[in-house]
């Protein structure tokens, strides 16, 4: 049993003022594996005060100092890759390949931020003015449970690159992962108060960060509902916000696509991170005339997708993160059936032989229209909907008929045609013929999928304020 009874404030692991104990589970077994003592409002205020004290010195650092910090953080996280991987498997249930990738991604975030900082200009001439890009201030970084280490490191890396100090509120469900990451970050030896980490509930620690006048900016990844609450709470103090929220991403298989390649790719896009991903391609749009072929290939692809023990290298889909999340996914499967969708494969209950833990049958519905609940709402599990279209015009209309706009994928034998369709889609990132990733390109959403961007120069500029200085040129 892992007991976590400290928070990280002002460069030290300290006992929290908060007294609430929260159980931590292994989702593959459903058993309690640890307990974390949660921080409260007082702990959050102490962390904010520490970050505020550290900000003047941090804000005056130059590029070279910040890049050196980022490289030390990278090395420190690299030294704990295996521990982060193992914690992610045990506490989140991520398949080992995904967990290993996530740990390396977390470490790489610091090098990516260093590279971005090196290339960006913090002092610019515009006409007769000098424009100085200054750090926005103390930032609150709120991270979700579905990629805990990666989000902590990516958000912190950007804050450090900008010269900000930070208070991080990770998901309380990810406390073991957080502890391992925090120990790694501590080993990098940054000045006290530059980053602080408080485990706690969103409606306690997160709410205090969102309302506190000394927090200049919030970067939040999570649900659209919570993102809206953060915007409301931050409005009184005019907080800057970067919100990466929900999605209902479409995968458009055009009528010229090679279905033998396209359908397995679409299934993989929907099942990414066990379906617990904001960018998962959960709506698969296919030509009406080719539905029968698509369904046969979809069954075959799902049959070949192993759900089970996350430590098995063959596993592609692990358990849901919690009993509550498992029940949520089951409810959506029932709703799909009740609203008349046709179950192609999967369904309610647990896969055979996986009665323990929070496992879901990989599920695909066909006969879905875009007005159904399962096509409108984010399920956050391995449940996909096949939706037919008559022509390309209707495919684009269906893809855009959603309150979300995070990601989309277009599959076609003609790349020029795929790019033309992509230009008409309302989404922050479009993939063409593959599950591509570019860590320096901006990531974020249109519509209710968020505000602002993460990663690279666009992400860094979200932590900077431009200050215009006039008369400097004449004085020089």
């Amino acid at each position: 049993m892992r007991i976590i009874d400290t928070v990280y404030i002002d460069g030290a692991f300290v006992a929290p003022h908060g007294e609430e104990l929260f159980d931590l589970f292994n989702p593959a077994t459903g058993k309690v594996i640890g307990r974390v003592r949660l921080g409260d409002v007082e702990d959050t205020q102490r962390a904010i005060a520490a970050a505020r004290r550290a900000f003047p010195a941090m804000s005056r650092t130059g590029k070279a100092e910040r890049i050196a910090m980022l490289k030390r953080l990278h090395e420190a996280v690299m030294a704990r890759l295996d521990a982060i991987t193992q914690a992610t498997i045990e506490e989140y249930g991520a398949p080992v390949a995904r967990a290993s990738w996530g740990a390396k991604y977390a470490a790489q975030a610091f090098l990516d931020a260093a590279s971005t900082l090196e290339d960006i200009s913090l002092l610019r001439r515009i006409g007769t003015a000098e424009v100085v890009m200054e750090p926005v201030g103390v930032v609150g970084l709120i991270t979700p449970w579905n990629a805990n280490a990666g989000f902590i490191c990516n958000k912190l890396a950007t804050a450090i690159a900008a010269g900000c100090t930070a208070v991080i509120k990770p998901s309380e469900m990810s406390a073991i992962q957080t502890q391992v990451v925090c120990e790694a970050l501590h080993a990098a030896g940054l000045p006290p108060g530059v980053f602080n980490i408080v485990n706690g509930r969103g409606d306690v620690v997160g709410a205090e960060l969102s309302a506190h006048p000394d927090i200049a900016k919030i970067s939040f990844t999570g649900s659209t509902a919570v993102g809206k609450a953060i915007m409301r709470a931050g409005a009184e103090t005019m907080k800057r916000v970067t919100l990466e929220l929900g999605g209902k991403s479409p995968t458009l298989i055009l009528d010229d696509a090679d279905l033998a390649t396209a359908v397995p790719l679409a299934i993989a896009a929907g099942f990414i991170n066990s379906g617990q991903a904001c960018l998962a391609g959960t709506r698969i749009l296919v030509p009406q005339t080719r539905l029968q072929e698509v369904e046969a290939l979809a069954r075959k692809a799902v049959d070949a997708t192993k759900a089970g023990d996350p430590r098995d290298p063959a596993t592609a889909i692990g358990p849901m993160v919690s009993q509550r999340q498992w029940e949520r996914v089951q409810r959506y499967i029932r709703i799909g059936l009740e609203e008349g969708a046709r179950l192609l494969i999967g369904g309610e209950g647990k896969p055979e032989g996986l009665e323990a833990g929070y496992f879901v049958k990989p599920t695909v519905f066909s006969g879905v229209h875009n007005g159904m609940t399962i096509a409108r709402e984010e399920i956050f599990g391995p449940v996909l909907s096949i939706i037919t279209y008559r022509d390309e015009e209707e495919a684009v209309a269906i893809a855009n008929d959603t309150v979300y706009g995070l990601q989309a994928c277009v599959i076609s034998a003609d790349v020029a045609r795929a790019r033309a369709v992509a230009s008409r889609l309302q989404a922050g990132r479009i993939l063409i013929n593959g599950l591509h990733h570019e860590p320096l390109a901006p990531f974020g959403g249109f519509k209710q999928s968020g505000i602002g961007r993460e990663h690279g120069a666009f992400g860094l500029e979200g932590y900077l304020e431009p200050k215009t200085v006039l008369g400097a040129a004449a004085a020089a």
Side-chain angles (χ1 to χ4, degrees), residues 251-259 262-263 284-295 366 386-392 394-395 398 411-412 417:
T251 297
L252 282 71
I253 300 178
L254 301 188
D255 57 15
D256 64 351
D258 172 18
L259 294 185
V263 174
I284 303 174
L285 278 54
V286 306
Q288 195 172 60
T289 55
R290 306 191 71 183
L291 177 61
Q292 193 171 357
E293 298 170 78
V294 168
E295 289 183 343
S366 192
I386 295 175
I387 302 170
T388 60
Y389 62 84
R390 291 185 298 272
D391 54 32
E392 188 176 293
E394 186 179 35
I398 292 171
I411 306 174
S412 171
R417 182 186 179 196

Side-chain angles (χ1 to χ4, degrees), residues 44 95 110 152 162 266 268-269 350 380:
T44 311
F110 295 107
I152 289 175
K350 297 179 180 180
F380 231 62

Side-chain angles (χ1 to χ4, degrees), residues 120-134:
I120 202 169
S121 176
L122 299 178
L123 180 63
R124 307 171 190 177
R125 288 282 183 184
I126 301 178
T128 61
E130 182 180 85
V131 179
V132 184
M133 303 299 289
E134 296 193 348

